[in-house]
Amino acid sequence: MSESAVTAPTTFRERLFIPWWGWLLPLAAASLLAAEVHMGFPGVRSWLPYVIVLPLTLALIVRMGWTRVEVSGGELTVGSAHVPVGLLGEVEVIDAKGKRKAMGPELDPMAFVLHRGWVPTMVRVRLVDPEDPTPYWLFSTRSPEKLVEALRAEAAKAPSAKAPSAAATGAAAEGDADA
């Protein structure tokens, strides 16, 4: 993570945690698996599956819901990936009905995708970096309108703060195109 992202105030932050109803089925399945092993072994080995399987299941559920979407310090961070706001183009909000089409026939194989099935809405952010083969980022978010506002606010601040590096990148890209 860049130093500016650590020191800059956060404009938007969201964790894509799993809702309570998403915990029920995995925990029930882990309990049934532990009960199956429990019935086959006497003594210490009978309770050992509960000590191993249930905490592992809890850790997996928590880890899956640990994904973060953040706009901070002139960067958009989705999971472990990040991109400067100055390299972002058109932002499109995709509702629950359009999600199937966006993840199916409209999906570009080169796109960056972070999909969480328990989150109904998504955002598609086009990239304008000529050196990046990724055409857009498509990711889940519960608050797409707030995210779009945060991206617009950061983009309004970004040109003045990043003018030298953006101009240098643009000049380098034009120089590569001429060569």
Side-chain angles (χ1 to χ4, degrees):
M1 182 181 281
S2 68
E3 186 176 317
S4 63
V6 173
T7 59
T10 301
T11 309
F12 177 85
R13 178 179 290 154
E14 173 182 34
R15 286 236 183 252
L16 301 178
F17 61 87
I18 300 174
W20 66 269
W21 50 265
W23 293 57
L24 298 177
L25 187 59
L27 288 175
S31 298
L32 286 174
L33 177 64
E36 284 289 324
V37 176
H38 167 86
M39 291 189 308
F41 295 103
V44 173
R45 291 183 292 176
S46 66
W47 57 266
L48 199 56
Y50 296 103
V51 173
I52 294 172
V53 174
L54 290 176
L56 282 176
T57 304
L58 283 172
L60 179 66
I61 292 170
V62 168
R63 178 68 182 113
M64 286 178 61
W66 205 254
T67 306
R68 176 178 54 114
V69 176
E70 183 176 322
V71 177
S72 166
E75 284 188 341
L76 168 63
T77 304
V78 179
S80 60
H82 56 92
V83 63
V85 176
L87 298 177
L88 301 179
E90 176 189 354
V91 179
E92 178 185 356
V93 174
I94 299 171
D95 62 359
K97 292 179 181 177
K99 184 177 179 179
R100 185 175 191 174
K101 190 184 261 186
M103 291 291 295
E106 292 179 359
L107 184 66
D108 187 322
M110 296 291 289
F112 169 80
V113 178
L114 189 129
H115 175 248
R116 296 295 182 249
W118 55 87
V119 180
T121 54
M122 298 185 91
V123 172
R124 182 182 346 215
V125 181
R126 304 244 177 236
L127 299 182
V128 294
D129 185 3
E131 296 178 13
D132 191 352
T134 308
Y136 58 84
W137 283 19
L138 181 64
F139 56 93
S140 299
T141 178
R142 286 190 177 93
S143 308
E145 290 81 16
K146 290 180 184 177
L147 175 64
V148 170
E149 289 174 21
L151 287 173
R152 287 185 181 143
E154 284 289 324
K157 290 188 262 182
S160 61
K162 296 192 177 261
S165 62
T169 305
E174 289 172 13
D176 290 342
D178 294 336

